[in-house]
Amino acid sequence: MIKLFTDNDADRCREIIGKCFNESVTLDQDVLSFIKNRYTKKGYLEAENKKYPFFVFKKNKTILGVGALKGNNIKKVFVDPGYQGKGVGSV
């Protein structure tokens, strides 16, 4: 089920984003650390959600992914690494 992000979803979404950067991204360690810290900083998702809508994908009440749209464009998509490649986040 896809639903609009709420502030109550933020902690789980930050957890997913952190896992994605830890397990799925290959970057210089300093760059990776900078980006991960920005996206997982408390208040970041809540503030970004005011600029453009974020959505979460839930299965059995567990958030498996988070993404954002800006107009008709996908802005960001993060899927829990344990569920990547299984259709979560596909269009």
Side-chain angles (χ1 to χ4, degrees), residues 16-60:
I16 290 170
I17 292 168
K19 285 170 124 180
C20 287
F21 283 117
N22 286 339
E23 300 176 28
S24 304
V25 177
T26 304
L27 289 172
D28 172 79
Q29 194 60 38
D30 291 336
V31 172
L32 180 60
S33 180
F34 173 81
I35 295 171
K36 179 182 169 190
N37 288 339
R38 177 180 176 192
Y39 279 81
T40 58
K41 181 179 178 184
K42 193 155 181 81
Y44 175 80
L45 290 171
E46 297 87 337
E48 289 291 294
N49 189 46
K50 290 177 176 60
K51 295 179 190 175
Y52 38 82
F54 273 73
F55 298 88
V56 294
F57 176 81
K58 285 185 164 186
K59 185 173 183 182
N60 300 326

